Amino acid sequence: MANLTSQRFLELVHQFGSRREIFRLVKYALVGSTGFFLGMGLLWVLVEYLGLLYIIASLIAGEVGITFNFFWYELWTFRDVKRSLAFSQVFIRWLKHNLVRAAGIGISLGILTLLVEVFKMHYFLANIIGTIVAIIFNYIISIGWIWRITHSKE
C-alpha cells in the first residue's frame, strides 16, 4: 500500500464530494451490503446449524462475502475506472482485494472478540459493529490502492 501516501489519501477524501464518487460509494455500499447479508446468513448457518465456533464461522463467511464482492466491484462499482482486464491484472487486483479484506477481517474479528468476550455482547450484533468499522477501512484502501481512482474533477 506504499502508493497510498497521506497526500493521496487527502485527495481521495476531497473527491468524496463529487457526484461520481457519491454514486460510486452508493454502488459500493449496495454490493457490500449484499455480500454482508450473504456472509451474515452463512455465519448464522455455520454457528447455529453446523455448530462451528463463531470466530471460525465468521472467517469462512467473510471470505465468501469477499469473493462475491470482488466480482461485483469489478463488474459494476469500478467499471468506469481505467484498468487492465487481462487475467493477470484482474488476479492481482483480486489478491490485493483479499489482502485488504484480510486486514479488514482482522479489524472486524478484533472488535467482534472484544465485544463478545469482554462486553458480553451477542455475537451477531458484535459482528455488525466490527463489519461497519472494517467497511470504512476497506473502501478508502480500495479506491486508493486496488482500483486507483485518479480523476480529480467532473
Side-chain angles (χ1 to χ4, degrees):
M1 289 183 268
N3 294 337
L4 187 59
T5 64
S6 58
Q7 180 181 357
R8 175 80 176 112
F9 177 79
L10 292 174
E11 291 170 4
L12 292 170
V13 169
H14 177 71
Q15 290 176 8
F16 281 155
S18 73
R19 279 184 275 136
R20 181 183 306 170
E21 289 311 313
I22 290 170
F23 185 59
R24 184 185 320 281
L25 182 57
V26 168
K27 292 192 305 187
Y28 183 89
L30 288 172
V31 170
S33 296
T34 304
F36 170 74
F37 286 114
L38 173 70
M40 288 299 285
L42 184 56
L43 173 66
W44 180 68
V45 168
L46 294 173
V47 171
E48 300 297 331
Y49 289 99
L50 298 181
L52 291 181
L53 181 65
Y54 67 89
I55 294 173
I56 302 298
S58 183
L59 284 169
I60 293 167
E63 184 56 36
V64 169
I66 285 168
T67 300
F68 173 88
N69 288 352
F70 173 77
F71 288 109
W72 281 104
Y73 292 148
E74 271 290 298
L75 295 170
W76 188 49
T77 306
F78 297 102
R79 179 179 59 198
D80 64 319
V81 176
K82 284 190 175 187
R83 65 198 189 286
S84 172
L85 297 178
F87 176 79
S88 62
Q89 294 303 306
V90 172
F91 184 70
I92 288 169
R93 282 192 301 279
W94 179 79
L95 288 174
K96 287 179 174 182
H97 180 76
N98 269 275
L99 179 63
V100 170
R101 280 5 180 229
I105 287 174
I107 291 166
S108 182
L109 282 175
I111 292 169
L112 169 69
T113 304
L114 176 72
L115 293 176
V116 169
E117 300 299 330
V118 175
F119 295 102
K120 306 303 181 201
M121 186 179 288
H122 189 272
Y123 73 88
F124 213 77
L125 178 58
N127 195 64
I128 291 170
I129 293 168
T131 299
I132 289 169
V133 173
I135 286 169
I136 295 165
F137 169 82
N138 290 342
Y139 183 73
I140 290 170
I141 302 303
S142 291
I143 64 173
W145 186 50
I146 299 170
W147 284 279
R148 296 184 183 187
I149 307 299
T150 58
H151 58 274
S152 58
K153 303 237 184 228
E154 293 187 57

